[in-house]
Amino acid sequence: MSGPLLSVESISLAFGGLKAVNAFSLSLGRRQLWGLIGPNGAGKTTAFNLLTGVYRPDSGTVSLEGRRLNGLPPHEITAAGLARTFQNIRLFPDLSVLDNVRVACHLDARHGLLAALLRTPRHLAEEKAMEERSRALLSLFGLEERADDDARNLPYGDQRRLEMARALATAPKVLLLDEPAAGMNPREKDELTDLIRGLPARFDIAVLLIEHDMGVVMDLVEGITVLDHGETIAVGAPAAIRRDPKVIEAYLGTGAVDEAVDEAVDEAVEGRA
Amino acid sequence: MEARPGPSAAVTALRGVLPFLVGAFASLLLHFVVAPASGPFATKLVMDAGINVILAVSLNLVNGFTGQFSIGHAGFMAVGGYTAGLVTYYGSMLLWGSPAAHGGFLGGGELLFLAACLAGAAVAALAGLLVGLPSLRLRGDYLAIVTLGFGEILRVLLQRTGDVLPTAAEVRRTPLPELATHVGGALGFTGIPFYTSPFWVGIFVTVMLVVAYRLKSGSHGRSFLAIREDEVAAEAMGIPTTRVKVTAFVLSALFAGLAGGLFAHLVGTTLNPRELGFQKSFDVVIMVVLGGMGSISGAAIAAVILTLLPELLRSFSEYRMILYAALLVVVMIVRPQGLLGLGEIWDVWRPRRKGTGR
């Protein structure tokens, strides 16, 4: 296969006079892990919302395997192969853990409403396949024991992982993770990092990761795009990004001295430990 | 997914239709054994309760499963009832020269009645599509406003219709489309033959319950529930939310139309615009809220209780709405998710919920 899997070309979005995202570009290859970082309000989640169709870009294009996605409604973008998690967890709280994942398997179902009402063999076979696939995903994320619990009763870290399992159930080609480690303790973060690292090979997907925790990103991704005030201020390998003066300035403000770099690095390393 | 040979496929097919067979058997039993033994008053109550069960469970597809808020269910009931009434009343006039019930059990008259109910359901579903399509594209409370308006507009239109044509000669003289305007106005559509029997109520209740349960335990129904839980997340999981909401709404209107058909042909009720006004819609909403938003058995039980309650408290029936309102307030405080919430009555005996499936 030639060409990138996901290709984002210079998308922009303004809310009135505020340029929330300006000329954002990105190219993701198969099985690539990429990070999207930036200080609060930099436009990271807005960029995600542009990719997934929640907002329509004012200009620019998003295409997946050459197919243009922008302009499509969110559910068609998901069906096309772009799945996401939410920064502020959005599970289906009153449904069981299993059903949360099964809901997202519905794209597998080819039978119509009538087949479901008559319980045709095809309906039963597809329902069984969906349940098996859901249980396999749950066990990968260590949630199989909690399959029958209501999603609302899961501890916070489990809810985050359930969101990832649910997004994967849509069988995406690209997975967008919006701060999956937010609010986790260091040990949980470590486990999560290992899990995310294994995703591209296991599911043959590319992963785009928004993360506040520098330690998590630096350690995980091949490359990073840094946003600040909607502008892309740096693109490159983690090591280069870490030393980039513009990035340090964006994160720590003007006048940040070189020691700040070392501190940031130390903090990141500690964060992982 | 190749078809497995022999008994397994046969067993699957049997399991597919078994609930319908059981329902049909129960309906026959109700019709020929239970009803004759318990007298006309009890039989009428049972039929009232059955019709309310269909109304409550069908409204639950929208208000409970999909989390939208419709308060115009009686409107769809009226669409189905008037359509079915038109077919049987004027159909009987044209076929047999008189609107009186014709033929015995499963005779010609009952077949016309069945066709009329299905026609009523189809027209109600179409009305559901017309109302749902524009209003379900939006999120929030628009549906409540639109369905309320729909019910009221329909009521006013029905009140302005002409008198029912009393003789076969007049019916033959009148062009078919014009017959639709002769449904009795504010006085109601009188003279519709009484075809509704415990058997037919039992059959349609069975279909309603099986459809609702199979929906809930399959991927289509899970999509309904996902929308109720979080519409944004449902959309992000690839669920075409507008289409699914419209599907639920049309299905709900279809069964309301069916209930309307049964209501129109029931002894002791008149099909009139006031009877099927906002008050009736609100009664059904109360059944759903009391029984549990998303609980099939909960809505059904609440429908039965709220049908029998006014009969038990006959002398208070004027104050029914005060009692209902008080009941609602108490439930909202003590148990906001309703009697059964999202669960079913048989879940009560299970310590942990096994998904929404079996």
Side-chain angles (χ1 to χ4, degrees):
Chain A
M1 214 180 77
S2 62
L5 180 64
L6 177 71
S7 167
V8 182
E9 277 162 39
S10 192
I11 53 171
S12 303
L13 179 73
F15 295 116
L18 176 75
K19 287 221 169 222
V21 170
N22 192 28
F24 175 70
S25 294
L26 180 77
S27 174
L28 270 184
R30 285 186 61 205
R31 299 193 177 187
Q32 206 168 18
L33 251 165
W34 199 268
L36 184 59
I37 66 171
N40 281 328
K44 307 182 296 288
T45 298
T46 306
F48 260 30
N49 285 337
L50 283 172
L51 296 185
T52 52
V54 175
Y55 302 138
R56 289 184 180 201
D58 297 332
S59 61
T61 59
V62 180
S63 50
L64 185 68
E65 290 178 326
R67 183 181 166 202
R68 199 179 146 128
L69 294 185
N70 49 319
L72 295 179
H75 69 265
E76 283 184 38
I77 292 179
T78 305
L82 207 63
R84 72 173 296 176
T85 64
F86 293 89
Q87 184 180 354
N88 49 340
I89 304 177
R90 302 192 81 130
L91 290 168
F92 305 123
D94 289 333
L95 300 189
S96 71
V97 168
L98 176 65
D99 279 347
N100 264 271
V101 182
R102 275 204 289 190
V103 161
C105 288
H106 75 103
L107 293 166
D108 297 359
R110 294 277 161 260
H111 65 270
L113 191 59
L114 202 60
L117 299 183
L118 294 175
R119 291 243 159 115
T120 61
R122 180 170 187 189
H123 160 79
L124 293 172
E126 288 188 351
E127 284 290 335
K128 192 161 170 254
M130 280 189 256
E131 177 166 352
E132 279 165 9
R133 203 159 74 80
S134 303
R135 288 198 185 273
L137 275 168
L138 285 181
S139 74
L140 177 67
F141 284 85
L143 293 166
E144 71 273 31
E145 292 291 311
R146 314 219 55 166
D148 296 332
D149 293 357
D150 283 355
R152 67 160 71 249
N153 294 333
L154 289 187
Y156 185 79
D158 285 354
Q159 291 199 3
R160 286 240 170 252
R161 283 182 295 153
L162 178 55
E163 263 225 343
M164 287 174 63
R166 188 180 65 169
L168 282 167
T170 64
K173 296 177 179 122
V174 178
L175 180 63
L176 309 179
L177 300 174
D178 200 346
E179 296 201 29
M184 285 187 170
N185 65 38
R187 199 173 60 85
E188 284 178 321
K189 274 182 190 170
D190 265 358
E191 286 171 9
L192 188 78
T193 312
D194 288 340
L195 195 62
I196 294 174
R197 189 179 287 115
L199 291 181
R202 187 186 282 267
F203 292 97
D204 192 22
I205 54 172
V207 177
L208 180 63
L209 179 72
I210 291 182
E211 192 45 75
H212 244 82
D213 191 310
M214 294 283 252
V216 171
V217 213
M218 294 294 173
D219 199 40
L220 203 54
V221 298
E222 287 171 48
I224 293 176
T225 299
V226 189
L227 289 181
D228 188 26
H229 295 107
E231 306 283 343
T232 306
I233 56 168
V235 180
I241 292 294
R242 193 175 293 177
R243 288 189 298 272
D244 191 309
K246 271 168 134 180
V247 177
I248 296 162
E249 193 184 310
Y251 264 85
L252 302 171
T254 30
V257 281
D258 277 1
E259 285 98 315
V261 184
D262 299 324
E263 263 176 42
V265 173
D266 288 347
E267 215 177 84
V269 172
E270 272 166 25
R272 280 190 290 119
Chain B
M1 189 180 56
E2 67 281 9
R4 275 158 295 167
S8 172
V11 167
T12 308
L14 185 67
R15 282 179 62 176
V17 295
L18 191 63
F20 295 109
L21 294 179
V22 170
F25 181 72
S27 304
L28 284 171
L29 207 65
L30 181 69
H31 189 91
F32 288 109
V33 182
V34 180
S38 41
F41 180 71
T43 305
K44 167 80 163 64
L45 266 186
V46 167
M47 292 194 284
D48 281 343
I51 290 170
N52 282 336
V53 166
I54 298 175
L55 286 171
V57 174
S58 61
L59 184 67
N60 210 358
L61 297 181
V62 172
N63 290 30
F65 285 21
T66 325
Q68 309 301 303
F69 202 72
S70 165
I71 43 177
H73 215 47
F76 297 108
M77 188 185 174
V79 170
Y82 275 87
T83 305
L86 272 172
V87 172
T88 47
Y89 183 83
Y90 290 117
S92 300
M93 284 282 212
L94 292 170
L95 286 170
W96 304 303
S98 132
H102 182 91
F105 182 67
L106 295 184
E110 291 216 344
L111 293 184
L112 179 68
F113 162 68
L114 178 62
C117 285
L118 297 181
V123 177
L126 190 68
L129 187 67
L130 292 177
V131 172
L133 213 48
S135 41
L136 288 167
R137 302 177 70 86
L138 304 163
R139 263 171 222 151
D141 304 325
Y142 299 97
L143 187 69
I145 297 160
V146 173
T147 49
L148 180 64
F150 165 73
E152 288 304 290
I153 290 168
L154 196 70
R155 184 176 61 83
V156 172
L157 284 179
L158 287 172
Q159 276 173 347
R160 299 191 167 257
T161 54
D163 292 344
V164 179
L165 302 178
T167 65
E170 268 182 275
V171 174
R172 290 214 169 82
R173 271 205 307 276
T174 314
L176 274 180
E178 212 189 298
L179 287 177
T181 62
H182 291 282
V183 292
L187 292 175
F189 194 167
T190 48
I192 300 173
F194 301 133
Y195 283 122
T196 300
S197 66
F199 174 74
W200 288 112
V201 172
I203 291 289
F204 287 136
V205 167
T206 303
V207 173
M208 175 80 262
L209 292 178
V210 174
V211 162
Y213 180 69
R214 288 188 170 175
L215 254 181
K216 194 180 178 183
S217 55
S219 71
H220 290 90
R222 278 197 296 273
S223 298
F224 288 16
L225 292 168
I227 290 173
R228 150 204 159 123
E229 293 288 296
D230 189 325
E231 198 164 337
V232 172
E235 181 80 20
M237 292 307 118
I239 294 170
T241 49
T242 302
R243 206 175 77 199
V244 172
K245 281 190 289 183
V246 171
T247 305
F249 194 70
V250 167
L251 212 55
S252 165
L254 186 145
F255 279 100
L258 210 53
L262 291 172
F263 182 81
H265 298 81
L266 188 63
V267 185
T269 53
T270 33
L271 194 61
N272 69 47
R274 207 163 30 83
E275 192 84 13
L276 299 182
F278 175 69
Q279 187 71 67
K280 182 70 187 172
S281 292
F282 193 64
D283 281 354
V284 186
V285 169
I286 292 175
M287 290 170 191
V288 171
V289 173
L290 279 187
M293 305 281 257
S295 172
I296 300 162
S297 45
I301 291 167
V304 172
I305 292 175
L306 291 186
T307 312
L308 301 183
L309 207 58
E311 297 302 327
L312 296 176
L313 308 168
R314 195 117 194 104
S315 47
F316 293 105
S317 71
E318 290 294 306
Y319 306 104
R320 180 171 114 263
M321 290 322 291
I322 298 176
L323 185 72
Y324 282 9
L327 206 59
L328 261 190
V329 171
V330 170
V331 168
M332 287 295 105
I333 292 168
V334 179
R335 219 178 141 73
Q337 71 274 43
L339 226 53
L340 293 172
L342 192 54
E344 296 296 343
I345 186 80
W346 43 90
D347 295 331
V348 172
W349 291 279
R350 286 188 199 174
R352 289 174 81 188
R353 201 156 62 82
K354 298 281 180 200
T356 50
R358 277 175 304 125

